[in-house]
Structures are given as structure tokens and as C-alpha cells.
Amino acid sequence: MPTFAIRLARLTGRLLLTLAAVATLVVVFLVAIVLTDGAGSGLGAWLTALGIGTAAALWRGRRRTRAARLVPFLPVVVAAALTASVCIPTAPTARQYPPALPFVATQHWSLATGSRVAVYHYPPANTGARHPVPFVYLNGGPVRGISTLDHRFLQLLARQGYDVYAYEQAGGGRSDLLPMDQYTVSRSVRDLGAFIDRLGRGRVDILGFSSGALVLTRALADPRVAARLHRAIIAEPGPMDGPTARIAGHKGRSSARGLAPAMTGPRSTHVPRYAVAFGLMRLGLLTPDTGLVGQAEGDNAFTAADLGSDTASAYCARDAHRIPTEDTAQNFSFSPAASLRVQQTVQDSPSISPELRRSRTPTMLMIAECSSQVRQWATAILADDPAIQRTQYMPGVGHHMWNGLDDNDDRAAAVITAFLQDRPAPVPNYPTRDDIPAFLRARE
């Protein structure tokens, strides 16, 4: 028995040493991925780790018998097999665009900026009053396709007589990709101005949601683009500039994050290649233009389930177990690398407050009760933009205010149309600028 115990201890020790050697080589591989920014689909890092492992195995086996010299190579073989999966694409490397939607035609417009964007048009209903000013929708993301849930809301506005246009910003949905270094928030603002010019209908009413709202906010601070806007609606905005992005403040009432069932469906992050690529990009250890996973491949691989709890955070806690399906698997499109790139350009941008204080475009701000956005992102705009005529605090909804639940779509549409038609608001004007301190102090 003592002899067996000794043998078992030796075997266990060797196994632990082997596992430690494998782990060390995997760490070496990941460090090399970071240092090389994933060059050559990670092949350079893989060869580096393999070379270091082989050299170490030769050194460890130099005094062993010929057969025993092969033993130190076992960790090298195991580590090489594990890390090779990070270097092999499993998604197409050429962009696979979503198929056409069955309920609306997809047009493609080439803008003066060089962007080629997918455009959707919902003409006003034949019955009832028609509104002469075109209505433009800027969706959130950034660099995400327009969800079927949003399309249904746009159809609702068209049925109420609005001539609705929406476009997917460059790189999102069915719009063409850009070189990674061209994804900037400034480019998004220029694309908006170019889209309105291409529309050729004069000034437009515009609704910007989430990251689309921050693009709209920056457009209001740019006199060249603001001159093309008739009325503006800023709904649940992201941070408008670098100083605002660095604010760590209060959020709205509790969202469904952590309460809702986990999203089902395939996840790219269950594949080692994309788990490593997206994880290191999110940590800032790989650039959005990394050589590990190309932009098109990353777009093809990313799924709705990869968003995880981000979707749940857009709904109130009370809705945790009835969160609607926002999109179909066929229509879903999100570019993680381009999105990070755009967000970084916002964080690196100087304050736009001086320019925003000169805004003259009639504007409305919409804030959700269960907003997952930092509230100072919205109140900073309220404080700086003198042209905000009303703020609408929307009870009973989260970040995604029009979501198909109960009468939420109708309530959001009522607030939007009342402002566009300069009619009395259906909910109180709150918070006003004077209310901001108390609004931010309010407990969840």
C-alpha cells in the first residue's frame, strides 16, 4: 500500500506539472496575442508559444533517455491543440449581410461622405392627416442593425400620418462596412447631414435613440447639420462627449438585469476564437482593428445571445419574465469591434457644451423610469441645450421605451407626436432644468 501511495503521489505530481506547463504556454500565447494585436489571425502568437514550449521541452529532456525525451513535449502538444482553435475561423470571413425583410424594401443610398447605407421608408397611411415634414429615425447600437421591434414602432408612426425614413448607420445591418479607422462619432454626424441632403426634402424631424440620441445631440451642436433639422427628439441618450462619458452617476429604477432568464440561442463567445477576441477587445487589450478577427468575421459571428444581460437591462424589473424578442436571428446584426471604436472616439472627444449652448433647434428629451443609462448623460444635455422645450419622464418603461408590451408603444408615440405637432404633452414636463438636482438625488 505505501508503494502504491508513492506511485500515485508521483503520478499526481507529474500530472499537475503537465497541467501547469500547459497553462503557462496558454498564458504565453495570450500575452503574445496582445503584444502582436492578433497579427495573422493569431498565427504569430501560436508559433511563438509553440517555439518557446519546444525549446523548454528540449532543455528539460536533454539528460533523459531517448524515449523519456518525448515526455516534456506532451504539454506542448496539448497547449498547441488548445490554442490552435483560437487561430481558426469558424464564421465566414467575408461579410454575410442579413436577408431582405419581408415587410419593407431595403434601399441602398451612397452618401457624399462615402458611406453606403441601408434605407427603409414607411410612407404615411392613406387615411387621416398627413404630416409634411419627413421623419427620420436614428437607432441605437452603435453600429447595430435596426431591430424588428423598432421597425414595428416606425410602422405605428407611419399609420399616424408620418412619412418615416430610417437608415442603418455605416457598418450596421445591411449597410456597407467602413475601414475600421473611419468609424468615429464625427463620421456618424456627417453621415446624418449627408443622409438628409440625399433625402432632398428640406428640414426633417428626427428621433435619436440611445447611441443614435448622442449622434443627434452632437448634430445639434454642429450648426452645419443643425440647420437641416426641424425638430429633434433625444430619447435615452448615451454620453455626448468625453467629459460626460467619465461621469459615474445614478441610474433609473431597477432594471431586469440579473432577474430575467438567460438569453437562449448560440453564442459566439462559446467558441474559443471569439471568446478570446471579443473578451480582449472589451478589456482594451486588443484594438478594434485587431488582426485576430477581421471586422466582417466578427460581425458574422456575433449573435443576439452574446449581448447577455444587456438586453434585460433595457427593461424594468417588473418585466423580467416577459421581455419580448427584440429581433429575429436572421435580422440581428451588431459589429462589436466598430461599436467599441465609435465609443472610444466619444470618450476621447472634448466637451461639446459650448457649441450645444448655441443650439436653436426645438428639442424634446425623453427619459425612462427604469433607465439603464447614467442619468447625468441626459441631464447634462438638458442643462446645456437651451432649445429643449420639454422633458418627458416615461413611467413604467426601461431604456427600450417602445417595446411592444402593454400600451408602451402607444404612449411613446403619443409623447413624440404631441411634440412634433406642438400640442400639449400627455405627461408632465419633468425634470426641468431647475429639477435636475432633486431628480439626480431621487432614490431608486
Side-chain angles (χ1 to χ4, degrees), residues 32-67:
I33 284 283
V34 172
L35 293 177
T36 62
D37 198 27
S41 196
L43 185 60
W46 186 79
L47 291 174
T48 298
L50 183 62
I52 291 173
T54 300
L58 289 171
W59 183 82
R60 288 181 60 200
R62 68 192 188 284
R63 295 179 181 176
R64 300 188 182 192
T65 62
R66 180 173 296 179

Side-chain angles (χ1 to χ4, degrees), residues 72-294:
F73 284 90
L74 177 60
V76 180
V77 173
V78 174
L82 289 174
T83 54
S85 63
V86 178
C87 305
I88 302 172
T90 59
T93 56
R95 181 70 175 108
Q96 304 292 301
Y97 292 96
L101 291 166
F103 49 81
V104 64
T106 305
Q107 305 174 49
H108 285 91
W109 290 5
S110 295
L111 305 182
T113 56
S115 298
R116 186 170 181 267
V117 297
V119 181
Y120 309 94
H121 179 211
Y122 293 104
N126 291 326
T127 59
R130 293 191 179 194
H131 304 281
V133 180
F135 180 95
V136 175
Y137 177 62
L138 273 181
N139 68 300
V143 198
R144 179 174 177 175
I146 299 174
S147 70
T148 54
L149 201 62
D150 283 359
H151 276 290
R152 285 198 290 270
F153 183 65
L154 299 179
Q155 291 171 326
L156 171 62
L157 293 175
R159 288 195 298 271
Q160 296 185 9
Y162 289 91
D163 195 10
V164 179
Y165 291 85
Y167 70 94
E168 289 168 321
Q169 296 172 54
R174 296 165 185 79
S175 294
D176 286 6
L177 306 182
L178 295 175
M180 189 59 66
D181 62 357
Q182 293 187 28
Y183 288 107
T184 67
V185 68
S186 297
R187 172 63 171 265
S188 299
V189 173
R190 293 196 302 273
D191 279 353
L192 172 59
F195 175 83
I196 298 171
D197 287 345
R198 174 69 172 74
L199 181 59
R201 297 273 304 278
R203 294 193 301 164
V204 302
D205 293 329
I206 183 164
L207 166 63
F209 167 65
S210 194
S211 63
L214 84 85
V215 172
L216 175 55
T217 302
R218 296 180 71 97
L220 292 170
D222 184 335
R224 295 165 298 180
V225 183
R228 301 171 171 92
L229 307 181
H230 179 251
R231 283 180 174 253
I233 302 165
I234 298 171
E236 282 287 286
M240 62 182 178
D241 53 26
T244 310
R246 289 187 283 274
I247 295 174
H250 302 288
K251 298 183 180 181
R253 296 188 184 278
S254 297
S255 75
R257 181 187 288 271
L259 300 175
M263 291 189 68
T264 59
R267 293 175 182 244
S268 69
T269 47
H270 288 171
V271 179
R273 176 173 176 81
Y274 306 113
V276 169
F278 298 151
L280 292 179
M281 274 194 284
R282 193 170 184 86
L283 292 172
L285 298 176
L286 288 181
T287 67
D289 203 17
T290 176
L292 180 58
V293 172

